[in-house]
Amino acid sequence: MDVDDAIDESTKGVTATACPYCGYYLDAATAVEDQGRPEEGDLSVCLKCTGVLIYNEHGKPCVLTDAERDALPADDLATLQRVQTAIRRQR
């Protein structure tokens, strides 16, 4: 599935919170590879600043640490880069 199609197709409401990078109001998440709500360890990208987030055990998006980023498989990093590029293109 194309990243742009996924953004339109699978948006889910989440507990509202602010992006820890830029403070943008986050109240939804879009799945690129799955159709469920975010779970602990799932990754996300802020629609405003394109910062990479990771969901904690409470369903809150948090800053992805360097260690967490370094531990990601190459295909996950590539997907994150594609999502960031798609968001920047839509601005």
Side-chain angles (χ1 to χ4, degrees), residues 25-78:
Y25 180 75
L26 304 171
D27 64 353
T30 300
V32 174
E33 298 175 350
D34 186 351
Q35 301 301 312
R37 294 190 190 286
E39 298 177 352
E40 182 179 2
D42 284 349
L43 301 170
S44 189
V45 177
C46 176
L47 287 174
K48 182 168 182 166
C49 70
T50 68
V52 178
L53 308 166
I54 187 166
Y55 280 86
N56 68 14
E57 67 276 8
H58 305 292
K60 181 179 177 183
C62 302
V63 171
L64 183 72
T65 66
D66 290 339
E68 290 167 330
R69 180 184 290 274
D70 292 345
L72 291 175
D75 60 326
D76 286 354
L77 289 172

Side-chain angles (χ1 to χ4, degrees), residues 1-2 9 14 17-18 21 31 48 67 69 74 84:
M1 173 181 292
D2 179 278
E9 187 174 298
V14 296
T17 190
Y21 292 105
K48 182 168 182 166
R69 180 184 290 274
Q84 288 173 311

